[in-house]
């Protein structure tokens, strides 16, 4: 059996666990703990080690989705999780501009770990307070070539769209490398 | 969609950068602890500003700028209180009391003062109203934001925020190719020009700091200003070899190019079918 993996990363409470949950065929193996810090009480629980989802492609291939812990104090996990990934998705909460700088730093950190393709998913685009994608692109300092995709982590179709865009980017990268 | 938040999390400098780069038209409304400020922009240029606490009428602005005397100010208040700013401006120009340039300079100075006041706020709820502009009878100006952003960045003292914005000095800088941007139109100090002269994708920020004899804080401050003014962008230094996938592990379990593509296409088909 061959296995490949993709990593879903992003700041605390960006929606990484929900994203994986929306498409995983198994109940997401989540290592969540109650949040103790008042400052981080945007939600009740947070991922402390990783989330783990699975999509069986066929009899001989399985895709694993790994979600990284969002809190900076668990960043020692990031490099371990990024080993051997096909590509990665950076989730950003479109309604919380206070997390944009952190998202930018996480993106740079992962790019440094491995030069694999990536896309940025602007989560919670269904919320009234969501920032416009064009504004987010500037705030996140994303190059025009980087795919910034609207996403609602709880809706399977948009999650599929993000995964597919990452896969298309991987194919494009292969074609580019072939042409060199 | 919304462009709203708190200055605590998204600073005035970042907001002005966003408005400048996106060439936005509309009004930024910021609510501080005890006052409210409105700043209007047309195609990414400062057009108008008003502090809710102050009388920002043309007569008051001209009086404060010492362009009209106290007696003239009183006369305007008594006899022309119902006149719009545009009407009053024309009246004063036609009466040869002041020139059109006096009016523009005074308003520009007043608007810049309001915006500079915003830079002192560390907290305040903001929202941007697309296409909301000051009333037609108000006089608007057209001021590029680059200089305002650079000036605001010079005032920045918070080391932690600068470090968050520019976490690594091992990256390089290059000039943006955004249309309408020209660094020659920006008012830079001699020290800032020295940094600019070293901007090249081959030089890391640390190397530029060394060459210009700047501390980490000083170089970050200059780079931050140029970055927020939309004049430069950060890039990986040229000639630095990217590491292969970590620990030499291949990201794909097959090595043949065609097999790799086939594997990705199988995943694509599967995800489409979920």
């Amino acid at each position: 059996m061959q296995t490949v993996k993709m990593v879903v990363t992003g700041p605390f409470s960006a929606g990484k666990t929900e994203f994986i949950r929306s498409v995983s065929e198994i109940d997401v193996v989540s290592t969540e703990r109650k949040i103790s810090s008042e400052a981080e009480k945007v939600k009740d629980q947070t991922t402390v080690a990783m989330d783990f989802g699975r999509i069986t492609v066929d009899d001989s291939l399985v895709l694993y989705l790994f979600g990284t812990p969002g809190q900076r104090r668990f960043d020692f996990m990031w490099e371990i999780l990024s080993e051997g990934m096909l590509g990665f998705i950076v989730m950003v909460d479109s309604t919380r501009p206070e997390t944009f700088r952190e998202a930018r730093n996480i993106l740079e950190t992962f790019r440094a770990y491995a030069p694999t393709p990536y896309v940025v998913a602007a989560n919670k685009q269904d919320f009234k307070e969501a920032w416009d994608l064009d504004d987010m692109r500037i705030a996140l300092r994303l190059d025009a070539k980087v795919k910034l995709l609207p996403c609602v982590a709880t809706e399977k179709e948009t999650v599929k769209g993000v995964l597919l865009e990452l896969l298309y980017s991987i194919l494009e990268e292969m074609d580019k490398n072939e042409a060199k | 969609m919304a462009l709203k938040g708190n200055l605590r999390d998204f600073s005035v400098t970042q907001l002005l950068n966003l408005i400048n780069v996106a060439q936005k038209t509309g009004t930024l409304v910021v609510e501080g602890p005890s006052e409210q400020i409105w700043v209007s922009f047309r195609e990414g240029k400062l057009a108008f500003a008003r502090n809710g606490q102050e009388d920002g009428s043309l007569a008051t602005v001209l009086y404060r700028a010492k362009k009209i005397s106290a007696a003239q100010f009183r006369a305007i208040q008594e006899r022309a209180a119902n006149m719009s700013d545009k009407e009053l401006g024309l009246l004063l120009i036609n009466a040869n009391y002041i020139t059109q340039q006096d009016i523009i300079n005074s308003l520009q100075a007043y608007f810049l003062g309001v915006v500079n006041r915003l830079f002192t706020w560390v907290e305040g709820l903001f929202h941007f109203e697309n296409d909301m502009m000051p009333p037609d009878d108000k006089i608007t100006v057209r001021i590029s934001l680059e200089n305002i952003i650079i000036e605001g960045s010079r005032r920045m003292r918070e080391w932690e925020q600068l470090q968050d914005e520019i976490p690594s000095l091992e990256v390089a800088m290059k000039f943006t190719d955004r249309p309408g941007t020209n660094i020659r139109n920006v008012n830079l100090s001699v020290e800032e020009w020295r940094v600019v002269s070293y901007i090249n994708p081959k030089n890391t920020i640390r190397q530029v700091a060394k060459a210009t004899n700047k501390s980490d804080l000083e170089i970050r401050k200059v780079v931050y200003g140029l970055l927020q003014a939309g004049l430069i962008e950060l890039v990986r230094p040229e000639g630095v070899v990217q590491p292969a996938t970590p620990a030499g592990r291949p990201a794909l379990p097959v090595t043949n190019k065609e097999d790799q593509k086939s594997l990705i296409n199988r995943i694509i088909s599967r995800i489409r079918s979920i």
Side-chain angles (χ1 to χ4, degrees):
Chain A
M1 175 74 74
Q2 291 176 330
T3 60
V4 286
K5 76 168 175 184
M6 287 181 182
V7 169
V8 184
T9 186
F12 167 72
S13 190
K16 302 178 287 292
T17 305
E18 285 301 327
F19 182 93
I20 297 175
R21 200 168 275 161
S22 291
V23 285
S24 175
E25 65 198 17
I26 56 166
D27 285 339
V28 172
V29 182
S30 200
T31 39
E32 293 194 321
R33 290 284 177 277
K34 273 199 164 25
I35 292 171
S36 51
S37 155
E38 279 300 319
E40 287 166 339
K41 277 206 168 160
V42 178
K43 56 179 184 174
D44 295 330
Q45 297 210 311
T46 192
T47 304
V48 292
M50 61 179 186
D51 289 320
F52 175 71
R54 189 182 72 191
I55 298 170
T56 304
V57 177
D58 51 37
D59 292 344
S60 59
L61 181 61
V62 172
L63 168 67
Y64 290 121
L65 295 172
F66 287 89
T68 65
Q71 290 167 297
R72 199 85 209 189
R73 62 177 176 272
F74 300 112
D75 63 2
F76 60 90
M77 289 292 298
W78 296 356
E79 190 164 4
I80 301 166
L81 290 175
S82 69
E83 276 193 27
M85 62 185 173
L86 272 184
F88 62 96
I89 295 154
V90 183
M91 297 282 295
V92 190
D93 183 338
S94 311
T95 67
R96 295 179 62 215
E98 65 270 30
T99 65
F100 292 173
R101 190 188 299 151
E102 172 73 354
R104 218 166 55 208
N105 291 342
I106 292 174
L107 170 54
E108 284 307 317
T109 306
F110 269 82
R111 281 183 67 194
Y113 288 151
T116 51
Y118 64 93
V119 295
V120 181
N123 191 23
K124 302 185 191 172
Q125 280 286 310
D126 54 334
F127 280 49
K128 199 175 69 188
E129 316 88 82
W131 277 40
D132 198 73
L133 286 186
D134 291 341
D135 292 341
M136 286 183 72
R137 181 178 288 281
I138 296 167
L140 292 166
R141 287 193 210 144
L142 294 178
D143 189 274
K145 288 178 219 146
V146 176
K147 289 179 184 171
L148 173 62
L149 309 157
C151 176
V152 179
T154 49
E155 287 176 11
K156 194 197 282 181
E157 285 308 311
T158 69
V159 172
K160 278 168 61 181
V162 172
L163 288 171
L164 286 169
E165 285 298 337
L166 176 57
L167 288 160
Y168 300 148
S169 294
I170 294 168
L171 279 180
E172 285 160 21
E173 196 64 30
M174 285 176 173
D175 286 341
K176 244 190 274 173
N177 288 339
E178 240 175 40
K180 277 181 189 171
Chain B
M1 264 193 270
L3 174 55
K4 59 200 280 190
N6 194 315
L7 294 183
R8 190 183 54 224
D9 312 311
F10 204 79
S11 69
V12 176
T13 318
Q14 289 172 306
L15 269 174
L16 294 185
N17 168 47
L18 179 57
I19 291 163
N20 181 34
V21 175
Q23 302 206 328
K24 284 186 173 292
T25 296
T27 297
L28 177 69
V29 185
V30 191
E31 289 170 44
S34 57
E35 57 191 330
Q36 198 171 30
I37 282 178
W38 286 265
V39 189
S40 302
F41 304 87
R42 185 170 282 121
E43 291 166 350
K45 304 265 191 280
L46 173 63
F48 185 83
R50 185 163 69 88
N51 183 332
Q53 301 287 75
E54 293 174 358
D55 171 14
S57 68
L58 180 63
T60 305
V61 169
L62 291 173
Y63 174 55
R64 287 205 186 137
K66 297 188 169 55
K67 297 293 175 194
I68 54 174
S69 66
Q72 287 171 323
F73 180 55
R74 268 198 308 276
I76 291 169
Q77 285 191 311
E78 283 165 16
R79 292 177 222 160
N82 295 327
M83 243 182 209
S84 73
D85 281 358
K86 277 186 181 167
E87 288 168 337
L88 178 65
L90 277 174
L91 182 79
L92 293 172
I93 292 167
N94 290 336
N96 284 327
Y97 285 130
I98 51 173
T99 63
Q100 185 178 356
Q101 201 55 46
D102 285 334
I103 293 178
I104 291 170
N105 290 349
S106 303
L107 285 174
Q108 282 186 343
Y110 174 71
F111 297 158
L112 287 174
V114 174
V115 175
N116 284 336
R117 187 166 168 70
L118 265 186
F119 280 112
T120 65
W121 292 14
V122 286
E123 193 151 335
L125 293 172
F126 68 79
H127 62 272
F128 189 87
E129 298 292 335
N130 280 320
D131 300 321
M132 178 179 131
M133 291 304 284
D136 282 344
D137 57 359
K138 292 287 178 190
I139 300 170
T140 57
V141 296
R142 194 173 164 83
I143 307 174
S144 294
L145 293 183
E146 283 93 348
N147 282 320
I148 303 173
I149 293 169
I150 296 268
E151 183 55 38
S153 303
R154 285 188 191 124
R155 295 168 191 223
M156 206 165 158
R157 298 269 184 273
E158 291 81 12
W159 165 245
E160 278 183 14
Q161 198 184 339
L162 278 170
Q163 210 172 11
D164 274 352
E165 288 292 337
I166 306 160
S168 168
L169 297 184
E170 303 308 329
V171 290
M173 299 169 276
K174 79 176 192 62
F175 293 109
T176 50
D177 43 16
R178 204 159 50 82
T181 308
N182 189 346
I183 200 156
R184 288 177 208 287
N185 298 333
V186 180
N187 298 325
L188 297 176
S189 67
V190 175
E191 284 302 302
E192 287 162 343
W193 272 116
R194 286 188 66 212
V195 171
V196 167
S197 68
Y198 284 97
I199 291 177
N200 185 318
K202 287 177 185 163
N203 300 332
T204 64
I205 298 177
R206 193 178 297 287
Q207 287 168 329
V208 176
K210 202 173 169 192
T212 54
N213 206 16
K214 291 210 171 323
S215 69
D216 284 6
L217 175 66
E218 289 166 337
I219 193 74
R220 276 190 165 92
K221 218 184 250 194
V222 176
V223 172
Y224 181 69
L226 296 170
L227 200 59
Q228 293 298 345
L231 300 167
I232 61 161
E233 55 191 89
L234 301 180
V235 291
R236 284 176 194 281
E238 274 180 13
V240 174
V241 180
Q242 280 264 15
T245 46
R249 292 188 192 182
L252 285 161
V254 285
T255 48
N256 178 290
K257 289 261 160 63
E258 286 311 310
D259 290 347
Q260 287 182 341
K261 276 192 187 173
S262 149
L263 183 142
I264 299 296
N265 280 319
R266 279 155 64 199
I267 303 174
I268 290 173
S269 303
R270 173 69 181 104
I271 286 176
R272 281 186 185 144
S273 71
I274 292 174

